[in-house]
Amino acid sequence: MELDRDICSAKGCQADAVWDLRWNNPKIHTPERRKSWLACDEHRASLSDFLGARGFLKDVVPHSRAD
């Protein structure tokens, strides 16, 4: 198992991360705080929909690995 790669945050998915979904929960985070979920192409929409339905999604940007 490779531990040195960024994978999708969807449950059970082991695909490489392509997208960075930046979000915050306004009830517990300051407005400028951003948490991040990683997504592959297949799960970008479902993860975005999940966060968006709760008003948490702030931005979706291409993922670039931070080394």
Side-chain angles (χ1 to χ4, degrees), residues 26-38:
K27 291 183 180 180
I28 60 174
H29 300 125
T30 59
E32 66 278 353
R33 171 107 188 257
R34 292 293 181 267
K35 300 205 46 132
S36 185
W37 279 0
L38 300 178

Side-chain angles (χ1 to χ4, degrees), residues 17-58:
V18 180
W19 300 100
D20 188 351
L21 286 61
R22 297 180 182 170
W23 63 278
N24 83 0
N25 179 340
K27 291 183 180 180
I28 60 174
H29 300 125
T30 59
E32 66 278 353
R33 171 107 188 257
R34 292 293 181 267
K35 300 205 46 132
S36 185
W37 279 0
L38 300 178
C40 63
D41 281 330
E42 181 181 349
H43 292 111
R44 176 186 174 182
S46 60
L47 292 174
S48 293
D49 289 348
F50 180 88
L51 292 169
R54 289 153 181 79
F56 294 175
L57 187 63
K58 302 302 177 193

